């Protein structure tokens, strides 16, 4: 874990409201697929807290990129940074998609990656890594519309040359509807044997993916989101409710930042955390 | 070694020694190498910071509130950022006093810093039980009684806002505690001086103040409170002037040492509290967005003392009244 000041290489708008921030680091950063960072503009105290962003791309050991949606004060503040600007950043944080103990039972022979909206940011490195390991991979990429799909890095995903199924809510690109529909169809056709699902996206989407996975008895890992105070395990603000834990025990909740952000979907009590996102 | 070199070495160590002396303070017999501590609930069990800062340089820290039994805490969402601060309703999730003694303390003993066990319960009996368990713990410097957490449905807030209830608990805790007893005051009261006086009369060795202020934030789209609990505790720079005022008022009311808390994020902030009458300070929320804020504050305090040729000790309560 490094707490440092990084310099902005570029901060490109992919589509209105979606930007790609590339940062240069003085030191080499050893980050893995699925990990995230806590960052904010250097010396800015309004807002106060850093914001969590997934590590989207590793350009080289001293340069990382972050793909983000401009939502509220924190991401707006980031969106105003220009080349040469400074960022306070703590990283790498959280666990990784392909590491023990998440992969206790070993990698499935097939990977189904389900990305919803800006959740794509957390799975791009995963797709790259799956490809490198020559694991058969099918991507399900869902976004609100064509513009948002571009903002969520669709062009990068396409360049990977992995099979990709696209959906948009309004049908402006790919199939019309939610990304969970083609996933379900795929599994109903019996193509999910020995597969692992990797998902990141809006809470309701991940909840649905988890249900589908359970229905087909397929292992599912989900990268969760929660408002974060610190990102390194001290504030206990970012917790999610865990199934089968004694409701009165300390284990009833786990921290998204240090126990996750990636969790086996079946241990999460999805109904408890009613995240707005 | 030449005479010249040894002379340089001696004068360097003299400077170092004087720097150490300049920052040192004492609270209820506990010697702190500097007045900077981590505040309860924002510093975990200290160990979370081990890879980020040098815990040996820290004056001390107060643990996450420990209860007799482990507690799960509140249903999320538990935190939301507000202007200049944040609201939290963690609900005192903690590993429990026993696990702290058995699992955390042995690791903490490797560090040369003062560990204050922050104690919480739902009833007087709960508090006393937690203290009994912690009495077994080797390496705890003092207890800090949290009688002021606004984020639990029963307990804390009732005790913390009634001078009578707070005094009764303090008296019992003082008897049960085998270590110095610091009582942490709630700002959610009409008259902090009255509360402080009652608690000191009941035997508290020191006071820390303030805990978070009860606040609320509402999502205008869903029209629901942002926090599942409804209300939460406000912390961060937004509360600093209130905290400084309360330290100032309490300092002129009681004569036990005070620990100032509330929105501290730099040496300048810490100095306000010390000049207002605090002997030491605890840094809370700032640790979240700047994990090395305690280290920077110590360095800046040392610079201040050097520049002004002064010591922490002589700054305590040195406010100039016009
Ligand atoms: C592990 C992790 C990885 C993430 N990766 C990305 C990413 O790669 N790209 C991206 O665009 N977004 C990502 N997010 C979501 C991103 O953190 C939020 O969109 C951002 O914090 C919103 O901040 P804001 O100031 O713009 O909005 P505000 O609404 O002003 O934020 C207020 C508070 O709520 C919290 N918050 C608000 N929305 C979210 C949310 N969706 N998730 C978590 N906290 C939230 C913020 O941390 C902040 O404390 C990630 C979140 C987590 C937890
Ligand atoms: C997330 C969070 C959890 C806290 N938990 C505790 C606690 O367990 N016990 C306690 O006495 N104070 C607790 N506090 C209060 C802090 O110790 C401190 O009094 C308060 O946050 C004001 O200081 P600050 O503005 O520097 O954060 C908590 C504060 C926060 C933000
Ligand atoms: S964000 Fe603070 S514990 Fe996870």
């Amino acid at each position: 874990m490094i707490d440092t000041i990084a310099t902005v290489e570029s901060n490109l708008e992919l589509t209105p409201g979606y930007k790609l921030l590339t940062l240069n680091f003085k030191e080499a950063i050893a980050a893995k697929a699925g990990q995230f960072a806590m960052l904010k503009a250097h010396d800015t105290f309004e807002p106060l807290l850093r914001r969590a962003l997934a590590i989207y791309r590793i350009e080289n050991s001293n340069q990382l990129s972050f793909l983000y949606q401009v939502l509220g004060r924190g991401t707006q503040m980031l969106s105003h940074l220009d080349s040469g600007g400074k960022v306070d950043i703590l990283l790498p944080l959280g666990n990784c998609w392909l590491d023990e103990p998440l992969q206790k039972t070993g990698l499935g022979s097939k990977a189904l990656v389900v990305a919803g909206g800006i959740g794509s940011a957390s799975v791009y490195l995963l797709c790259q890594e799956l490809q490198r390991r020559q694991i058969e991979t099918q991507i399900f990429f869902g976004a609100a519309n064509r513009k948002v799909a571009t903002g969520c890095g669709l062009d990068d995903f396409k360049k990977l040359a992995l099979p990709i199924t696209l959906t948009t809510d309004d049908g402006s690109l790919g199939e019309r509807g939610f990304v969970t529909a083609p996933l379900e169809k795929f599994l109903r056709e019996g193509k999910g044997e020995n597969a692992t699902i990797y998902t990141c996206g809006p809470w309701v989407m991940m909840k649905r993916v988890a249900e589908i996975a359970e229905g087909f008895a397929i292992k599912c890992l989900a990268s969760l989101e929660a408002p974060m105070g610190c990102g390194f395990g001290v504030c206990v603000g970012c917790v999610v409710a865990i199934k089968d834990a004694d409701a009165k025990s300390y284990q009833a909740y786990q921290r998204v930042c240090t126990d996750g952000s990636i969790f086996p979907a079946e241990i999460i009590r999805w109904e408890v955390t009613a995240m707005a996102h | 070694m030449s005479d010249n070199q040894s002379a340089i070495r001696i004068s360097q160590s003299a400077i170092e020694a004087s720097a150490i002396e300049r920052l040192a303070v004492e609270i209820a017999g506990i010697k702190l190498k500097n007045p900077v501590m981590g505040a309860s609930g924002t510093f975990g069990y200290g160990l979370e910071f081990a890879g980020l800062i040098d815990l040996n340089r820290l004056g001390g820290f107060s643990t996450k509130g420990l209860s007799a039994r482990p507690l799960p805490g509140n249903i999320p969402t538990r935190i939301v950022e507000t202007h200049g601060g944040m609201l939290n309703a963690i609900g005192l999730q903690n590993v429990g006093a026993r696990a702290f003694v058995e699992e955390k303390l042995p690791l903490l003993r490797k560090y040369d810093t003062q560990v204050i066990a922050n104690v919480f319960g739902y009833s007087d009996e709960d508090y006393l039980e937690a203290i009994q368990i912690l009495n077994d713990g080797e390496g705890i410097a003092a207890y800090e009684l949290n009688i002021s957490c606004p984020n639990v449905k029963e307990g804390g807030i009732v005790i913390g806002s009634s001078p009578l209830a707070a005094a009764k608990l303090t008296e019992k805790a003082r008897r049960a505690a085998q270590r110095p007893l610091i009582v942490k005051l709630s700002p959610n009261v009409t008259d902090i001086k009255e509360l402080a006086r009652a608690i000191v009369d009941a035997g508290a060795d020191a006071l820390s103040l303030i805990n978070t202020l009860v606040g609320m934030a509402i999502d205008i789209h869903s029209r629901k409170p942002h926090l599942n609990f409804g209300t939460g505790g406000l912390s961060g720079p937004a509360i600093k002037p209130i905290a400084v005022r309360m330290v100032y008022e309490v300092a002129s009311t009681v004569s036990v040492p005070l620990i100032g808390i509330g929105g501290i994020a730099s040496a300048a902030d810490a100095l306000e509290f010390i000049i207002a009458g605090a002997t030491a300070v605890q840094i809370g929320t700032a640790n979240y967005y700047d994990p090395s804020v305690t280290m920077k504050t110590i360095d800046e305090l040392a610079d201040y003392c050097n520049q002004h040729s002064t010591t922490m000790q002589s700054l305590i309560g040195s406010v100039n009244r016009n």
Side-chain angles (χ1 to χ4, degrees):
Chain A
M1 194 170 24
I2 299 175
D3 186 10
T4 188
I5 298 170
T7 309
V8 177
E9 167 74 24
S10 59
N11 197 6
L12 307 172
E13 186 174 82
L14 299 185
T15 206
Y18 292 82
K19 295 192 90 169
L20 180 71
L21 175 69
T22 302
L23 298 178
N24 292 317
F25 293 83
K26 289 186 292 285
E27 50 280 269
I29 307 293
K32 288 187 178 167
Q35 289 189 298
F36 68 98
M38 292 294 288
L39 67 175
K40 68 168 195 161
H42 177 54
D43 270 352
T44 301
F45 298 105
E46 188 51 49
L48 213 55
L49 300 175
R50 297 179 184 188
R51 297 297 191 258
L53 292 182
I55 297 167
Y56 175 58
R57 279 192 333 220
I58 300 176
E59 309 298 343
N60 61 57
S61 59
N62 294 88
Q63 196 178 72
L64 302 179
S65 291
F66 299 86
L67 186 67
Y68 65 101
Q69 181 183 5
V70 184
L71 273 180
R73 290 183 294 155
T75 47
Q76 251 149 30
M77 155 200 85
L78 283 177
S79 76
H80 295 141
L81 289 170
D82 291 324
S83 166
K86 304 278 184 209
V87 171
D88 288 342
I89 185 165
L90 183 71
L91 81 169
L93 303 167
N95 56 4
C96 333
W97 288 111
L98 295 176
D99 272 11
E100 293 280 352
L102 279 181
Q103 295 289 348
K104 259 189 288 227
T105 50
L107 286 171
S109 63
K110 223 178 274 170
L112 310 179
V113 178
V114 187
I118 198 66
S120 58
S122 171
V123 295
Y124 176 76
L125 281 179
L126 166 72
C127 290
Q128 250 190 353
E129 182 65 17
L130 288 165
Q131 192 170 38
R132 201 184 59 77
R133 296 192 192 191
Q134 297 185 320
I135 290 166
E136 191 183 331
T137 301
Q138 170 69 44
I139 303 170
F140 298 89
F141 190 105
N145 55 49
R146 177 187 287 269
K147 269 197 184 141
V148 170
T150 305
C152 295
L154 181 59
D155 294 345
D156 282 338
F157 280 84
K158 278 189 175 161
K159 275 189 217 137
L160 289 170
L162 289 169
I164 177 162
T165 303
L166 286 171
T167 64
T168 48
D169 299 358
D170 66 353
S172 54
L173 192 73
E175 291 173 31
R176 176 196 287 268
F178 293 141
V179 70
T180 43
L183 170 73
E184 213 171 348
K185 181 161 165 279
F186 186 91
L187 296 176
R188 227 183 287 115
E189 288 165 0
K191 297 183 193 161
E193 206 182 317
N194 202 10
T196 302
I197 297 177
Y198 302 88
T199 189
C200 186
W203 192 267
V204 281
M205 184 210 89
M206 289 194 284
K207 182 171 184 253
R208 182 75 196 114
V209 172
E211 283 162 8
I212 294 170
E214 200 181 323
F216 287 91
I218 289 177
K219 185 170 160 186
C220 176
L221 299 179
S223 178
L224 303 188
E225 277 194 8
M228 290 191 174
C230 66
F232 57 103
V234 287
C235 73
V236 218
C238 64
V239 297
V240 286
I242 300 298
K243 276 184 199 162
D244 299 331
D246 172 1
K248 289 207 169 102
S249 88
Y250 181 62
Q251 272 72 34
Y253 296 103
Q254 286 188 7
R255 290 165 296 189
V256 171
C257 67
T258 43
D259 299 314
S261 64
I262 304 159
F263 292 87
E266 78 268 12
I267 73 163
I268 302 299
R269 288 176 65 197
W270 293 93
E271 73 290 356
V272 173
T273 314
M275 282 284 292
H277 306 277
Chain B
M1 192 189 290
S2 74
D3 281 357
N4 211 1
Q5 274 174 322
S6 70
I8 289 169
R9 183 161 294 183
I10 288 162
S11 70
Q12 259 174 356
S13 64
I15 291 166
E16 278 159 23
S18 74
I20 289 167
E21 276 161 30
R22 279 180 181 167
L23 289 186
V25 293
E26 192 173 320
I27 289 174
I30 313 156
K31 290 189 166 39
L32 303 176
K33 49 187 136 196
N34 60 65
V36 180
M37 297 194 262
S40 173
T42 66
F43 218 74
Y45 304 103
L47 303 160
E48 292 87 342
F49 283 81
L52 288 161
I53 61 170
D54 181 1
L55 284 171
N56 297 311
R57 290 190 59 213
L58 199 64
F61 77 92
S62 177
T63 67
K64 175 73 200 162
L66 298 163
S67 44
R69 271 162 294 279
L71 288 177
N74 289 335
I75 296 168
T77 301
R78 292 179 174 184
I79 55 172
V80 61
E81 187 166 353
T82 57
H83 280 284
M86 61 178 267
L87 286 170
N88 88 80
I90 306 294
L92 291 153
Q93 173 171 349
N94 80 95
V95 295
R98 179 64 62 198
F100 175 74
V101 167
E102 287 169 7
E103 292 161 28
K104 309 285 182 190
L105 260 185
L107 300 171
L108 283 170
R109 282 199 290 271
K110 295 182 186 134
Y111 297 99
D112 175 23
T113 189
Q114 301 289 9
V115 178
I116 296 171
N118 185 276
V119 182
F120 171 77
Y122 289 104
S123 63
D124 286 9
E125 290 67 37
D126 279 354
Y127 277 96
L128 300 181
E129 197 181 334
I131 291 172
Q132 304 289 4
I133 297 170
L134 293 167
N135 276 339
D136 296 341
E138 189 192 318
I140 297 173
Y143 301 125
E144 180 179 54
L145 224 52
N146 174 12
I147 57 163
S148 45
C149 182
N151 301 323
V152 287
K153 289 235 156 59
E154 35 198 315
I157 196 103
V158 184
I159 302 173
S161 55
S162 150
L164 195 68
K168 260 176 35 198
L169 174 63
T170 303
E171 221 176 291
K172 289 186 211 167
R174 181 53 288 164
R175 260 182 274 132
Q178 292 171 5
R179 300 189 167 96
L181 184 72
I182 304 163
V183 178
K184 183 161 175 179
L185 301 184
S186 166
N188 304 304
V189 293
T190 318
D191 183 1
I192 192 103
K193 300 190 291 293
E194 187 191 353
L195 182 70
R197 205 178 293 120
I199 290 171
V200 170
D201 287 347
D205 300 303
L207 299 177
S208 55
L209 64 162
I210 59 176
N211 207 311
T212 54
L213 288 135
V214 183
M216 188 174 191
I218 294 171
D219 181 332
I220 58 165
H221 302 294
S222 66
R223 296 190 225 163
K224 287 185 189 158
H226 274 290
L227 300 175
N228 185 279
F229 190 74
T231 56
L234 181 65
S235 64
I239 72 169
K240 197 187 79 180
I242 301 171
V244 173
R245 182 264 293 175
M246 288 189 162
V247 166
Y248 177 72
E249 285 183 351
V250 172
S252 57
T253 306
V254 298
S255 54
V256 298
L258 306 181
I259 303 172
I261 319 167
I264 300 171
S266 66
D269 294 338
L271 284 161
E272 276 194 65
F273 282 83
I274 291 165
I275 294 166
T279 297
V281 294
Q282 290 179 4
I283 300 182
T285 303
N287 289 294
Y288 295 160
Y289 60 87
D290 182 5
S292 49
V293 63
T294 48
M295 299 293 111
K296 291 177 193 161
T297 303
I298 294 166
D299 291 341
E300 290 165 13
L301 284 178
D303 286 349
Y304 180 91
C305 285
N306 289 340
Q307 272 169 27
H308 291 80
S309 301
T310 185
T311 65
M312 276 302 133
Q313 191 55 44
S314 57
L315 287 168
I316 299 167
S318 62
V319 62
N320 285 321
R321 271 163 270 216
N322 303 328

